[in-house]
mmCIF file of all heavy atoms in Angstrom:
data_model
loop_
_atom_site.group_PDB
_atom_site.id
_atom_site.type_symbol
_atom_site.label_atom_id
_atom_site.label_comp_id
_atom_site.label_asym_id
_atom_site.label_seq_id
_atom_site.Cartn_x
_atom_site.Cartn_y
_atom_site.Cartn_z
ATOM 1 N N LYS A 1 213.595 165.619 109.602
ATOM 2 C CA LYS A 1 213.666 165.606 108.134
ATOM 3 C C LYS A 1 215.073 166.048 107.717
ATOM 4 O O LYS A 1 215.635 166.977 108.279
ATOM 5 C CB LYS A 1 212.631 166.561 107.558
ATOM 6 C CG LYS A 1 212.589 166.580 106.037
ATOM 7 C CD LYS A 1 211.503 167.537 105.554
ATOM 8 C CE LYS A 1 211.470 167.579 104.030
ATOM 9 N NZ LYS A 1 210.416 168.516 103.537
ATOM 10 N N ILE A 2 215.625 165.362 106.714
ATOM 11 C CA ILE A 2 216.979 165.697 106.272
ATOM 12 C C ILE A 2 217.006 165.896 104.762
ATOM 13 O O ILE A 2 216.187 165.333 104.029
ATOM 14 C CB ILE A 2 217.996 164.615 106.680
ATOM 15 C CG1 ILE A 2 217.669 163.283 105.995
ATOM 16 C CG2 ILE A 2 218.028 164.429 108.182
ATOM 17 C CD1 ILE A 2 218.727 162.234 106.222
ATOM 18 N N SER A 3 217.959 166.707 104.303
ATOM 19 C CA SER A 3 218.091 166.978 102.869
ATOM 20 C C SER A 3 219.399 166.443 102.305
ATOM 21 O O SER A 3 219.484 166.122 101.121
ATOM 22 C CB SER A 3 218.006 168.486 102.609
ATOM 23 O OG SER A 3 218.998 169.171 103.359
ATOM 24 N N HIS A 4 220.439 166.355 103.121
ATOM 25 C CA HIS A 4 221.693 165.770 102.667
ATOM 26 C C HIS A 4 222.383 165.087 103.842
ATOM 27 O O HIS A 4 222.041 165.314 105.000
ATOM 28 C CB HIS A 4 222.612 166.830 102.038
ATOM 29 C CG HIS A 4 222.982 167.937 102.962
ATOM 30 N ND1 HIS A 4 222.128 168.981 103.256
ATOM 31 C CD2 HIS A 4 224.116 168.179 103.666
ATOM 32 C CE1 HIS A 4 222.714 169.814 104.089
ATOM 33 N NE2 HIS A 4 223.926 169.343 104.352
ATOM 34 N N LEU A 5 223.351 164.234 103.542
ATOM 35 C CA LEU A 5 223.904 163.337 104.541
ATOM 36 C C LEU A 5 225.251 163.800 105.085
ATOM 37 O O LEU A 5 226.000 164.474 104.407
ATOM 38 C CB LEU A 5 224.058 161.928 103.948
ATOM 39 C CG LEU A 5 222.751 161.248 103.523
ATOM 40 C CD1 LEU A 5 223.034 159.919 102.863
ATOM 41 C CD2 LEU A 5 221.847 161.066 104.718
ATOM 42 N N SER A 6 225.481 163.438 106.319
ATOM 43 C CA SER A 6 226.784 163.554 106.978
ATOM 44 C C SER A 6 226.614 162.881 108.335
ATOM 45 O O SER A 6 226.234 161.716 108.386
ATOM 46 C CB SER A 6 227.236 165.008 107.090
ATOM 47 O OG SER A 6 226.290 165.771 107.808
ATOM 48 N N ALA A 7 226.885 163.604 109.421
ATOM 49 C CA ALA A 7 226.748 163.015 110.757
ATOM 50 C C ALA A 7 225.554 163.623 111.486
ATOM 51 O O ALA A 7 225.349 164.843 111.465
ATOM 52 C CB ALA A 7 228.028 163.240 111.567
ATOM 53 N N PHE A 8 224.759 162.761 112.122
ATOM 54 C CA PHE A 8 223.570 163.201 112.849
ATOM 55 C C PHE A 8 223.554 162.547 114.220
ATOM 56 O O PHE A 8 223.919 161.375 114.380
ATOM 57 C CB PHE A 8 222.285 162.801 112.109
ATOM 58 C CG PHE A 8 222.113 163.456 110.773
ATOM 59 C CD1 PHE A 8 222.647 162.876 109.632
ATOM 60 C CD2 PHE A 8 221.404 164.641 110.641
ATOM 61 C CE1 PHE A 8 222.492 163.468 108.393
ATOM 62 C CE2 PHE A 8 221.244 165.243 109.412
ATOM 63 C CZ PHE A 8 221.791 164.656 108.283
ATOM 64 N N GLY A 9 223.107 163.317 115.220
ATOM 65 C CA GLY A 9 222.985 162.763 116.569
ATOM 66 C C GLY A 9 222.067 163.604 117.431
ATOM 67 O O GLY A 9 221.925 164.814 117.218
ATOM 68 N N LEU A 10 221.440 162.958 118.396
ATOM 69 C CA LEU A 10 220.550 163.662 119.320
ATOM 70 C C LEU A 10 221.351 164.495 120.316
ATOM 71 O O LEU A 10 222.413 164.069 120.783
ATOM 72 C CB LEU A 10 219.708 162.654 120.104
ATOM 73 C CG LEU A 10 218.476 162.069 119.411
ATOM 74 C CD1 LEU A 10 217.797 161.074 120.343
ATOM 75 C CD2 LEU A 10 217.508 163.158 119.007
ATOM 76 N N ILE A 11 220.820 165.667 120.666
ATOM 77 C CA ILE A 11 221.459 166.514 121.675
ATOM 78 C C ILE A 11 220.395 167.060 122.629
ATOM 79 O O ILE A 11 219.218 167.172 122.298
ATOM 80 C CB ILE A 11 222.235 167.698 121.040
ATOM 81 C CG1 ILE A 11 221.330 168.471 120.062
ATOM 82 C CG2 ILE A 11 223.488 167.211 120.345
ATOM 83 C CD1 ILE A 11 222.000 169.716 119.475
ATOM 84 N N TRP A 12 220.847 167.357 123.852
ATOM 85 C CA TRP A 12 220.021 168.000 124.866
ATOM 86 C C TRP A 12 220.528 169.419 125.108
ATOM 87 O O TRP A 12 221.719 169.705 124.957
ATOM 88 C CB TRP A 12 220.143 167.288 126.206
ATOM 89 C CG TRP A 12 219.379 166.027 126.387
ATOM 90 C CD1 TRP A 12 218.046 165.830 126.234
ATOM 91 C CD2 TRP A 12 219.912 164.768 126.825
ATOM 92 N NE1 TRP A 12 217.717 164.537 126.540
ATOM 93 C CE2 TRP A 12 218.834 163.869 126.904
ATOM 94 C CE3 TRP A 12 221.189 164.328 127.163
ATOM 95 C CZ2 TRP A 12 219.003 162.543 127.307
ATOM 96 C CZ3 TRP A 12 221.357 163.021 127.562
ATOM 97 C CH2 TRP A 12 220.272 162.143 127.637
ATOM 98 N N ASP A 13 219.644 170.296 125.545
ATOM 99 C CA ASP A 13 220.086 171.528 126.179
ATOM 100 C C ASP A 13 220.720 171.166 127.514
ATOM 101 O O ASP A 13 220.324 170.180 128.150
ATOM 102 C CB ASP A 13 218.901 172.472 126.427
ATOM 103 C CG ASP A 13 218.489 173.198 125.154
ATOM 104 O OD1 ASP A 13 219.324 173.328 124.265
ATOM 105 O OD2 ASP A 13 217.317 173.604 125.056
ATOM 106 N N THR A 14 221.679 171.923 127.986
ATOM 107 C CA THR A 14 222.336 171.605 129.259
ATOM 108 C C THR A 14 221.362 171.671 130.429
ATOM 109 O O THR A 14 221.643 171.130 131.505
ATOM 110 C CB THR A 14 223.500 172.577 129.516
ATOM 111 O OG1 THR A 14 223.043 173.925 129.321
ATOM 112 C CG2 THR A 14 224.644 172.307 128.553
ATOM 113 N N ILE A 15 220.204 172.284 130.234
ATOM 114 C CA ILE A 15 219.183 172.321 131.278
ATOM 115 C C ILE A 15 218.687 170.921 131.609
ATOM 116 O O ILE A 15 218.051 170.695 132.633
ATOM 117 C CB ILE A 15 218.000 173.223 130.835
ATOM 118 C CG1 ILE A 15 217.109 173.556 132.016
ATOM 119 C CG2 ILE A 15 217.199 172.547 129.720
ATOM 120 C CD1 ILE A 15 215.973 174.504 131.681
ATOM 121 N N ARG A 16 219.021 169.946 130.740
ATOM 122 C CA ARG A 16 218.562 168.569 130.925
ATOM 123 C C ARG A 16 218.924 168.028 132.301
ATOM 124 O O ARG A 16 218.154 167.266 132.903
ATOM 125 C CB ARG A 16 219.206 167.667 129.847
ATOM 126 C CG ARG A 16 218.856 166.192 129.978
ATOM 127 C CD ARG A 16 217.365 166.047 129.710
ATOM 128 N NE ARG A 16 216.830 164.760 130.063
ATOM 129 C CZ ARG A 16 216.532 164.332 131.268
ATOM 130 N NH1 ARG A 16 216.806 165.062 132.320
ATOM 131 N NH2 ARG A 16 215.956 163.169 131.454
ATOM 132 N N ASN A 17 220.058 168.429 132.842
ATOM 133 C CA ASN A 17 220.497 167.916 134.138
ATOM 134 C C ASN A 17 219.539 168.268 135.267
ATOM 135 O O ASN A 17 219.562 167.640 136.323
ATOM 136 C CB ASN A 17 221.887 168.457 134.482
ATOM 137 C CG ASN A 17 222.981 167.784 133.674
ATOM 138 O OD1 ASN A 17 222.763 166.745 133.083
ATOM 139 N ND2 ASN A 17 224.154 168.391 133.657
ATOM 140 N N LEU A 18 218.707 169.285 135.054
ATOM 141 C CA LEU A 18 217.816 169.745 136.114
ATOM 142 C C LEU A 18 216.434 169.116 136.026
ATOM 143 O O LEU A 18 215.576 169.392 136.867
ATOM 144 C CB LEU A 18 217.663 171.276 136.032
ATOM 145 C CG LEU A 18 218.979 172.077 136.044
ATOM 146 C CD1 LEU A 18 218.671 173.565 135.849
ATOM 147 C CD2 LEU A 18 219.733 171.847 137.344
ATOM 148 N N LEU A 19 216.212 168.256 135.042
ATOM 149 C CA LEU A 19 214.854 167.772 134.779
ATOM 150 C C LEU A 19 214.579 166.365 135.289
ATOM 151 O O LEU A 19 213.603 165.749 134.880
ATOM 152 C CB LEU A 19 214.586 167.821 133.268
ATOM 153 C CG LEU A 19 214.579 169.223 132.658
ATOM 154 C CD1 LEU A 19 214.357 169.133 131.164
ATOM 155 C CD2 LEU A 19 213.504 170.079 133.311
ATOM 156 N N GLY A 20 215.402 165.867 136.199
ATOM 157 C CA GLY A 20 215.109 164.558 136.761
ATOM 158 C C GLY A 20 215.713 163.423 135.971
ATOM 159 O O GLY A 20 216.589 163.616 135.126
ATOM 160 N N PRO A 21 215.245 162.194 136.224
ATOM 161 C CA PRO A 21 215.913 161.003 135.695
ATOM 162 C C PRO A 21 215.678 160.777 134.209
ATOM 163 O O PRO A 21 214.756 161.321 133.602
ATOM 164 C CB PRO A 21 215.290 159.860 136.514
ATOM 165 C CG PRO A 21 213.927 160.367 136.863
ATOM 166 C CD PRO A 21 214.091 161.846 137.072
ATOM 167 N N ILE A 22 216.559 159.952 133.654
ATOM 168 C CA ILE A 22 216.398 159.439 132.297
ATOM 169 C C ILE A 22 216.179 157.933 132.382
ATOM 170 O O ILE A 22 216.370 157.309 133.426
ATOM 171 C CB ILE A 22 217.638 159.726 131.433
ATOM 172 C CG1 ILE A 22 218.873 159.053 132.052
ATOM 173 C CG2 ILE A 22 217.864 161.197 131.227
ATOM 174 C CD1 ILE A 22 219.940 158.701 131.064
ATOM 175 N N ASN A 23 215.789 157.328 131.279
ATOM 176 C CA ASN A 23 215.702 155.875 131.194
ATOM 177 C C ASN A 23 217.116 155.316 131.046
ATOM 178 O O ASN A 23 217.810 155.642 130.086
ATOM 179 C CB ASN A 23 214.846 155.453 129.999
ATOM 180 C CG ASN A 23 213.397 155.845 130.174
ATOM 181 O OD1 ASN A 23 212.772 155.515 131.179
ATOM 182 N ND2 ASN A 23 212.847 156.572 129.204
ATOM 183 N N GLY A 24 217.519 154.499 131.990
ATOM 184 C CA GLY A 24 218.854 153.913 131.959
ATOM 185 C C GLY A 24 218.799 152.402 131.837
ATOM 186 O O GLY A 24 217.729 151.799 131.760
ATOM 187 N N GLN A 25 219.972 151.785 131.828
ATOM 188 C CA GLN A 25 220.060 150.329 131.791
ATOM 189 C C GLN A 25 221.290 149.881 132.570
ATOM 190 O O GLN A 25 222.301 150.582 132.624
ATOM 191 C CB GLN A 25 220.117 149.807 130.347
ATOM 192 C CG GLN A 25 221.288 150.310 129.528
ATOM 193 C CD GLN A 25 221.300 149.763 128.105
ATOM 194 O OE1 GLN A 25 220.827 148.662 127.845
ATOM 195 N NE2 GLN A 25 221.835 150.549 127.186
ATOM 196 N N VAL A 26 221.185 148.710 133.183
ATOM 197 C CA VAL A 26 222.294 148.094 133.912
ATOM 198 C C VAL A 26 222.690 146.832 133.159
ATOM 199 O O VAL A 26 221.868 145.938 132.956
ATOM 200 C CB VAL A 26 221.902 147.752 135.359
ATOM 201 C CG1 VAL A 26 223.077 147.105 136.093
ATOM 202 C CG2 VAL A 26 221.436 148.997 136.099
ATOM 203 N N LEU A 27 223.944 146.756 132.738
ATOM 204 C CA LEU A 27 224.449 145.602 131.993
ATOM 205 C C LEU A 27 225.478 144.867 132.846
ATOM 206 O O LEU A 27 226.314 145.497 133.495
ATOM 207 C CB LEU A 27 225.091 146.033 130.666
ATOM 208 C CG LEU A 27 224.206 146.838 129.710
ATOM 209 C CD1 LEU A 27 224.976 147.131 128.423
ATOM 210 C CD2 LEU A 27 222.914 146.102 129.391
ATOM 211 N N LEU A 28 225.430 143.535 132.816
ATOM 212 C CA LEU A 28 226.316 142.702 133.620
ATOM 213 C C LEU A 28 227.161 141.815 132.715
ATOM 214 O O LEU A 28 226.638 141.168 131.795
ATOM 215 C CB LEU A 28 225.511 141.815 134.566
ATOM 216 C CG LEU A 28 224.528 142.518 135.511
ATOM 217 C CD1 LEU A 28 223.782 141.484 136.343
ATOM 218 C CD2 LEU A 28 225.254 143.508 136.410
ATOM 219 N N PHE A 29 228.471 141.769 132.992
ATOM 220 C CA PHE A 29 229.388 140.908 132.243
ATOM 221 C C PHE A 29 230.265 140.145 133.231
ATOM 222 O O PHE A 29 230.916 140.744 134.094
ATOM 223 C CB PHE A 29 230.272 141.737 131.303
ATOM 224 C CG PHE A 29 229.530 142.303 130.127
ATOM 225 C CD1 PHE A 29 228.886 143.522 130.222
ATOM 226 C CD2 PHE A 29 229.471 141.608 128.932
ATOM 227 C CE1 PHE A 29 228.194 144.051 129.142
ATOM 228 C CE2 PHE A 29 228.786 142.124 127.842
ATOM 229 C CZ PHE A 29 228.141 143.348 127.946
ATOM 230 N N LEU A 30 230.281 138.825 133.100
ATOM 231 C CA LEU A 30 231.079 137.960 133.961
ATOM 232 C C LEU A 30 232.411 137.689 133.283
ATOM 233 O O LEU A 30 232.464 137.186 132.153
ATOM 234 C CB LEU A 30 230.333 136.649 134.212
ATOM 235 C CG LEU A 30 230.926 135.711 135.255
ATOM 236 C CD1 LEU A 30 230.844 136.343 136.648
ATOM 237 C CD2 LEU A 30 230.204 134.363 135.239
ATOM 238 N N ARG A 31 233.499 138.042 133.974
ATOM 239 C CA ARG A 31 234.824 137.852 133.421
ATOM 240 C C ARG A 31 235.320 136.436 133.716
ATOM 241 O O ARG A 31 234.876 135.801 134.677
ATOM 242 C CB ARG A 31 235.816 138.847 134.033
ATOM 243 C CG ARG A 31 235.431 140.307 133.904
ATOM 244 C CD ARG A 31 235.376 140.767 132.475
ATOM 245 N NE ARG A 31 236.594 140.463 131.723
ATOM 246 C CZ ARG A 31 236.756 140.783 130.448
ATOM 247 N NH1 ARG A 31 235.795 141.390 129.774
ATOM 248 N NH2 ARG A 31 237.878 140.485 129.841
ATOM 249 N N PRO A 32 236.270 135.916 132.912
ATOM 250 C CA PRO A 32 236.865 134.613 133.216
ATOM 251 C C PRO A 32 237.506 134.643 134.603
ATOM 252 O O PRO A 32 238.051 135.666 135.016
ATOM 253 C CB PRO A 32 237.925 134.449 132.121
ATOM 254 C CG PRO A 32 237.456 135.313 130.998
ATOM 255 C CD PRO A 32 236.785 136.483 131.651
ATOM 256 N N PRO A 33 237.435 133.526 135.354
ATOM 257 C CA PRO A 33 237.960 133.500 136.729
ATOM 258 C C PRO A 33 239.463 133.698 136.772
ATOM 259 O O PRO A 33 240.188 133.259 135.881
ATOM 260 C CB PRO A 33 237.566 132.105 137.231
ATOM 261 C CG PRO A 33 237.358 131.296 135.993
ATOM 262 C CD PRO A 33 236.851 132.234 134.950
ATOM 263 N N LYS A 34 239.923 134.390 137.829
ATOM 264 C CA LYS A 34 241.348 134.573 138.081
ATOM 265 C C LYS A 34 241.631 134.123 139.507
ATOM 266 O O LYS A 34 241.063 134.659 140.447
ATOM 267 C CB LYS A 34 241.763 136.038 137.904
ATOM 268 C CG LYS A 34 241.697 136.527 136.468
ATOM 269 C CD LYS A 34 242.227 137.943 136.347
ATOM 270 C CE LYS A 34 242.246 138.414 134.901
ATOM 271 N NZ LYS A 34 242.763 139.791 134.761
ATOM 272 N N LYS A 35 242.512 133.125 139.627
ATOM 273 C CA LYS A 35 242.849 132.549 140.923
ATOM 274 C C LYS A 35 241.556 132.118 141.612
ATOM 275 O O LYS A 35 240.819 131.305 141.105
ATOM 276 C CB LYS A 35 243.664 133.534 141.761
ATOM 277 C CG LYS A 35 245.025 133.852 141.151
ATOM 278 C CD LYS A 35 245.836 134.771 142.038
ATOM 279 C CE LYS A 35 247.190 135.067 141.418
ATOM 280 N NZ LYS A 35 248.010 135.968 142.221
ATOM 281 N N ARG A 36 241.251 132.696 142.767
ATOM 282 C CA ARG A 36 240.066 132.265 143.515
ATOM 283 C C ARG A 36 238.940 133.284 143.436
ATOM 284 O O ARG A 36 237.995 133.250 144.227
ATOM 285 C CB ARG A 36 240.438 131.999 144.980
ATOM 286 C CG ARG A 36 241.475 130.910 145.152
ATOM 287 C CD ARG A 36 241.785 130.673 146.612
ATOM 288 N NE ARG A 36 240.650 130.110 147.321
ATOM 289 C CZ ARG A 36 240.397 128.813 147.390
ATOM 290 N NH1 ARG A 36 241.188 127.962 146.779
ATOM 291 N NH2 ARG A 36 239.373 128.364 148.067
ATOM 292 N N HIS A 37 239.030 134.216 142.492
ATOM 293 C CA HIS A 37 238.009 135.249 142.366
ATOM 294 C C HIS A 37 237.273 135.129 141.037
ATOM 295 O O HIS A 37 237.868 134.837 140.011
ATOM 296 C CB HIS A 37 238.629 136.660 142.468
ATOM 297 C CG HIS A 37 239.163 136.981 143.819
ATOM 298 N ND1 HIS A 37 240.510 136.986 144.096
ATOM 299 C CD2 HIS A 37 238.538 137.303 144.966
ATOM 300 C CE1 HIS A 37 240.691 137.314 145.367
ATOM 301 N NE2 HIS A 37 239.513 137.499 145.909
ATOM 302 N N GLN A 38 235.983 135.356 141.097
ATOM 303 C CA GLN A 38 235.193 135.556 139.892
ATOM 304 C C GLN A 38 234.869 137.045 139.847
ATOM 305 O O GLN A 38 234.535 137.647 140.875
ATOM 306 C CB GLN A 38 233.897 134.741 139.951
ATOM 307 C CG GLN A 38 233.120 134.704 138.651
ATOM 308 C CD GLN A 38 233.682 133.689 137.670
ATOM 309 O OE1 GLN A 38 233.817 132.538 137.978
ATOM 310 N NE2 GLN A 38 234.010 134.144 136.483
ATOM 311 N N VAL A 39 235.010 137.677 138.689
ATOM 312 C CA VAL A 39 234.822 139.129 138.576
ATOM 313 C C VAL A 39 233.580 139.421 137.757
ATOM 314 O O VAL A 39 233.404 138.903 136.648
ATOM 315 C CB VAL A 39 236.052 139.796 137.926
ATOM 316 C CG1 VAL A 39 235.819 141.295 137.758
ATOM 317 C CG2 VAL A 39 237.297 139.559 138.771
ATOM 318 N N LEU A 40 232.719 140.256 138.311
ATOM 319 C CA LEU A 40 231.504 140.703 137.633
ATOM 320 C C LEU A 40 231.611 142.197 137.375
ATOM 321 O O LEU A 40 231.840 142.970 138.313
ATOM 322 C CB LEU A 40 230.274 140.403 138.498
ATOM 323 C CG LEU A 40 228.908 140.792 137.917
ATOM 324 C CD1 LEU A 40 228.555 139.904 136.728
ATOM 325 C CD2 LEU A 40 227.828 140.698 138.985
ATOM 326 N N HIS A 41 231.493 142.605 136.110
ATOM 327 C CA HIS A 41 231.511 144.026 135.765
ATOM 328 C C HIS A 41 230.078 144.538 135.616
ATOM 329 O O HIS A 41 229.253 143.903 134.965
ATOM 330 C CB HIS A 41 232.285 144.241 134.460
ATOM 331 C CG HIS A 41 233.768 144.207 134.634
ATOM 332 N ND1 HIS A 41 234.656 144.123 133.581
ATOM 333 C CD2 HIS A 41 234.533 144.260 135.747
ATOM 334 C CE1 HIS A 41 235.890 144.121 134.044
ATOM 335 N NE2 HIS A 41 235.831 144.203 135.350
ATOM 336 N N VAL A 42 229.830 145.702 136.226
ATOM 337 C CA VAL A 42 228.504 146.319 136.210
ATOM 338 C C VAL A 42 228.597 147.649 135.459
ATOM 339 O O VAL A 42 229.393 148.519 135.832
ATOM 340 C CB VAL A 42 227.974 146.550 137.638
ATOM 341 C CG1 VAL A 42 226.577 147.171 137.600
ATOM 342 C CG2 VAL A 42 227.963 145.242 138.427
#
């Protein structure tokens, strides 16, 4: 619940690192070819 506006964001306690995995995502981007290589960024 908010009463006035500015900047808002979610935060964790630093203990978060000890609590196991988070939901992540893997994104793939194919770059334009250079010479004889095709480059895939992960």
Side-chain angles (χ1 to χ4, degrees):
K1 182 179 179 180
I2 63 173
S3 57
H4 60 282
L5 297 176
S6 58
F8 296 88
L10 280 179
I11 52 176
W12 282 304
D13 282 336
T14 49
I15 194 177
R16 177 66 192 78
N17 285 344
L18 306 176
L19 295 178
I22 60 153
N23 293 306
Q25 60 180 330
V26 180
L27 303 182
L28 304 178
F29 289 87
L30 189 66
R31 304 296 308 180
K34 292 185 177 180
K35 295 183 180 179
R36 299 181 67 87
H37 292 105
Q38 190 80 55
V39 177
L40 181 69
H41 282 167
V42 181

